[in-house]
Amino acid sequence: MFELYEQIAEQVPNWNSLTKSELCYNYLKCKDAGDPLADSYLAGLLVKYIKKIQIDYNSQLYKNITEEQYYDAMIDSILAVLHDKV
């Protein structure tokens, strides 16, 4: 998934130099305007969070869910925050 997200993010010039806040703002701006680049900004944001998600999962002493389930829950949380525009 990481490589796929990176490929999608590459549609935004210098996406990797943008902060997470800038990626969020641009995602929402493009999404509201119906701009297809919204997916690229979201992909860049997810790439920046993937390592954090992996670290968090691996630091748990008791793993009650699979890594994939944990990853899905974190992505769902990011999307919920973005769509609520908190």
Side-chain angles (χ1 to χ4, degrees):
M1 293 286 286
F2 184 82
E3 290 86 15
L4 177 61
Y5 287 145
E6 276 189 321
Q7 289 173 2
I8 295 168
E10 290 297 326
Q11 294 176 22
V12 174
N14 300 316
W15 72 270
N16 207 19
S17 65
L18 298 175
T19 66
K20 292 174 188 168
S21 295
E22 290 170 323
L23 289 167
C24 289
Y25 173 77
N26 286 321
Y27 165 72
L28 292 172
K29 184 176 147 185
C30 288
K31 184 178 176 296
D32 290 344
D35 187 333
L37 275 181
D39 290 338
S40 298
Y41 284 108
L42 179 59
L45 181 66
L46 296 178
V47 167
K48 290 190 178 222
Y49 274 105
I50 285 176
K51 289 188 181 194
K52 173 74 171 127
I53 292 170
Q54 289 172 337
I55 290 168
D56 287 348
Y57 179 78
N58 291 328
S59 68
Q60 295 179 25
L61 292 177
Y62 302 103
K63 294 178 175 62
N64 297 326
I65 60 176
T66 67
E67 187 172 1
E68 290 81 15
Q69 291 169 322
Y70 188 81
Y71 173 81
D72 287 344
M74 294 299 104
I75 298 302
D76 289 345
S77 297
I78 291 169
L79 292 173
V81 168
L82 286 171
H83 291 166
D84 286 341
K85 299 181 184 180
V86 174

